[in-house]
C-alpha cells in the first residue's frame, strides 16, 4: 500500500489491471517492483508505447517516485532527450556489437522534474553531445 500511495494509485488498489489506463498500469508495475525493496530497478523502454502527453506525465511521476525511493535505476532508452531528462549518468553504446563508448555525467538540477530539466540550455547541449557521440549530427551544416 505504501508503494501504491507513492505512485498515486491508492484509490485503485482493488481494481484489476484491465480497469486501469496504460499509464496507471505502468505506475502499478513500478509500485509492484518497489514493494520488494530491490537494490536496483531496470526500466527497459518504459515510455515508448505512450502518447507524448502521457509520456511526459509518467516521466515526471517515475522521476519523483525513484528520487523519493532512493533506489538505483537503470533506464534503457533510445530517446536522447529522455536519457538527459531522466538520468544522472548516461552510458552511450555503440552499434553492434554493443559496447559502452562513452560515459556522460548529467549534472543538471531538477532531478525529480524531467520537464523542467529538458527546458535548461545545458540539457540541450547534452542532447547535442549525444547526437555527436552517436554520429547523428549533421557535420556539413
Amino acid at each position: 500500500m505504501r508503494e501504491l500511495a507513492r505512485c498515486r494509485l491508492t484509490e485503485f488498489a482493488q481494481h484489476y489491471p484491465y480497469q486501469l489506463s496504460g499509464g496507471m498500469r505502468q505506475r502499478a508495475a513500478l509500485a509492484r517492483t518497489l514493494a520488494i525493496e530491490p537494490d536496483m530497478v531496470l526500466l527497459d523502454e518504459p515510455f515508448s508505447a505512450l502518447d507524448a502527453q502521457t509520456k511526459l506525465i509518467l516521466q515526471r511521476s517515475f522521476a519523483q517516485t525513484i528520487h523519493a525511493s532512493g533506489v538505483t535505476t537503470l533506464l534503457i532508452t533510445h530517446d536522447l532527450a529522455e536519457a538527459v531528462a531522466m538520468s544522472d549518468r548516461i552510458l552511450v553504446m555503440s552499434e553492434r556489437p554493443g559496447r559502452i563508448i562513452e560515459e556522460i555525467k548529467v549534472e543538471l538540477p531538477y532531478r525529480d522534474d524531467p520537464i523542467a530539466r529538458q527546458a535548461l540550455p545545458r540539457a540541450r547541449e547534452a542532447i547535442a553531445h549525444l547526437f555527436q557521440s552517436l554520429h547523428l549530427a549533421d557535420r556539413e551544416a
Side-chain angles (χ1 to χ4, degrees):
M1 288 307 291
R2 179 186 76 226
E3 297 307 334
L4 285 177
R6 192 186 331 229
C7 291
R8 294 181 297 286
L9 290 170
T10 306
E11 64 187 87
F12 298 95
Q14 301 303 315
H15 285 68
Y16 290 100
Y18 74 88
Q19 295 173 308
L20 304 176
S21 69
M24 294 169 107
R25 283 193 295 265
Q26 289 283 62
R27 287 187 285 148
L30 180 60
R32 204 170 37 246
T33 300
L34 293 174
I36 62 170
E37 299 180 359
D39 293 327
M40 177 182 267
V41 172
L42 172 64
L43 300 173
D44 187 3
E45 299 279 358
F47 312 109
S48 62
L50 302 171
D51 64 82
Q53 184 177 355
T54 302
K55 180 178 181 174
L56 291 172
I57 292 166
L58 276 182
Q59 283 175 337
R60 180 181 282 162
S61 177
F62 270 50
Q64 291 169 347
T65 302
I66 294 298
H67 183 73
S69 73
V71 68
T72 298
T73 306
L74 177 62
L75 170 67
I76 297 170
T77 184
H78 290 89
D79 183 330
L80 304 184
E82 179 177 89
V84 170
M86 299 289 293
S87 304
D88 295 320
R89 186 172 68 141
I90 299 170
L91 301 176
V92 180
M93 293 190 69
S94 69
E95 293 182 47
R96 288 188 185 116
R99 286 186 227 113
I100 295 172
I101 58 172
E102 186 174 3
E103 177 181 343
I104 301 168
K105 290 185 179 177
V106 181
E107 298 176 324
L108 297 173
Y110 311 119
R111 179 66 193 89
D112 61 345
D113 189 350
I115 296 170
R117 259 186 165 201
Q118 281 184 309
L120 297 170
R122 286 185 12 226
R124 290 189 292 278
E125 292 168 13
I127 294 166
H129 181 86
L130 281 172
F131 269 90
Q132 291 173 344
S133 294
L134 294 167
H135 307 291
L136 299 172
D138 184 10
R139 294 182 184 176
E140 296 175 20

